[in-house]
Amino acid sequence: MGLIVEVENGEDNDAVLVPPPNFAMVEDCIFRSSFPTSSNFPFLQTLNLRSIIYLCPEPYPEENLEFLRSQNIRLFQFAIEGKTDISTPILKDSVMDALKVLIDVRNHPVLIHCKRGKHRTGCLVGCLRKLQNWCLSSVFEEYQRFAGAKSRTMDLTFIEMFDILSLSQCLYSIIYQYHGYGSKKRRLLYKEENLQKPRLTSF
């Protein structure tokens, strides 16, 4: 069921803010959803996004790019096919690269989405949960809650087999620094400038 938010605009009319389907907060400043359309743009504005992680190979629509430009939102695209074989190295590499973007708070607030916010988004969030030391049953329950009847066994297998320890090559190259603004936000800064960076779509 979709969530609709009404906001008073001071002119006796209500502005209706419509989140994308499957929208939810993953963590503070991390959100997930299906592919946003123009009807969702006013709602997305309220999130003050810095970045979007897009997990599909198809080009981002020009209408969406125009919205990102107007809001100064960066787009990180990882071209993951909808039904990629879990044994394909490119799937693991793409999820690993997306995780590096996701855990870097310089990119927050961030929205993760694929087409329907179920499988590819669910896999990325599931791998994040493993990094957060969630038990596997809770990781699977969250994935299935968003995937519903479309839950894929191969996605659950990928999450279970995903080697979080391999993230150490990224974490060892990151300096954790704490800045005293607001609520002690954690800042992740790359130690080496020649680290492999995700593809940043240019406008």
Side-chain angles (χ1 to χ4, degrees):
M1 181 178 295
L3 173 67
I4 297 179
V5 181
E6 292 188 358
V7 177
E8 295 283 350
N9 63 10
E11 297 179 357
D12 297 327
N13 293 317
D14 290 333
V16 178
L17 302 179
V18 183
N22 255 351
F23 176 82
M25 176 183 285
V26 178
E27 290 289 340
D28 183 32
C29 292
I30 300 178
F31 307 94
R32 62 178 292 170
S33 75
S34 65
F35 203 110
T37 64
S38 58
S39 65
N40 308 131
F41 293 168
F43 174 80
L44 295 185
Q45 282 182 282
T46 69
L47 303 179
N48 298 313
L49 295 174
R50 285 186 185 173
S51 309
I52 283 180
I53 295 176
Y54 173 47
L55 302 174
C56 301
E58 294 80 13
Y60 220 53
E62 182 58 36
E63 183 178 30
N64 290 61
L65 289 176
E66 192 63 42
F67 170 72
L68 298 194
R69 281 192 288 265
S70 70
Q71 302 298 310
N72 197 29
I73 299 171
R74 293 172 294 178
L75 176 66
F76 295 93
Q77 181 172 1
F78 301 92
I80 301 174
E81 295 290 343
K83 294 184 178 180
T84 305
D85 189 319
I86 62 172
S87 64
T88 305
I90 193 172
L91 176 59
K92 176 185 173 183
D93 291 344
S94 295
V95 171
M96 185 68 71
D97 288 342
L99 271 174
K100 292 174 185 178
V101 173
L102 186 58
I103 65 175
D104 189 337
V105 297
R106 294 173 299 175
N107 300 319
H108 295 178
V110 58
L111 173 69
I112 311 162
H113 78 80
C114 49
K115 186 175 181 182
R116 304 198 182 280
K118 295 181 178 180
H119 305 114
R120 286 164 281 196
T121 297
C123 284
L124 179 58
V125 172
C127 292
L128 172 67
R129 297 310 193 191
K130 287 189 68 178
L131 185 62
Q132 295 176 313
N133 293 318
W134 278 34
C135 67
L136 204 55
S137 61
S138 295
V139 175
F140 286 177
E141 188 279 330
E142 182 180 43
Y143 168 89
Q144 291 168 332
R145 179 156 33 94
F146 286 91
K150 303 273 187 173
S151 177
R152 294 176 181 168
T153 301
M154 66 178 186
D155 289 345
L156 299 177
T157 301
F158 174 80
I159 294 170
E160 182 176 9
M161 300 296 291
F162 190 79
D163 183 13
I164 288 300
L165 291 179
S166 60
L167 250 185
S168 61
Q169 64 182 0
C170 168
L171 297 179
Y172 289 155
S173 301
I174 291 177
I175 300 173
Y176 288 77
Q177 293 188 350
Y178 291 83
H179 296 267
Y181 66 93
S183 55
K184 294 186 179 179
K185 283 286 187 178
R186 184 171 62 192
R187 306 288 291 184
L188 305 187
L189 304 179
Y190 287 103
K191 184 176 182 180
E192 301 174 15
E193 287 302 317
N194 61 352
L195 280 178
Q196 181 180 1
K197 301 294 196 306
R199 178 160 66 89
L200 175 60
T201 301
S202 57
F203 299 132

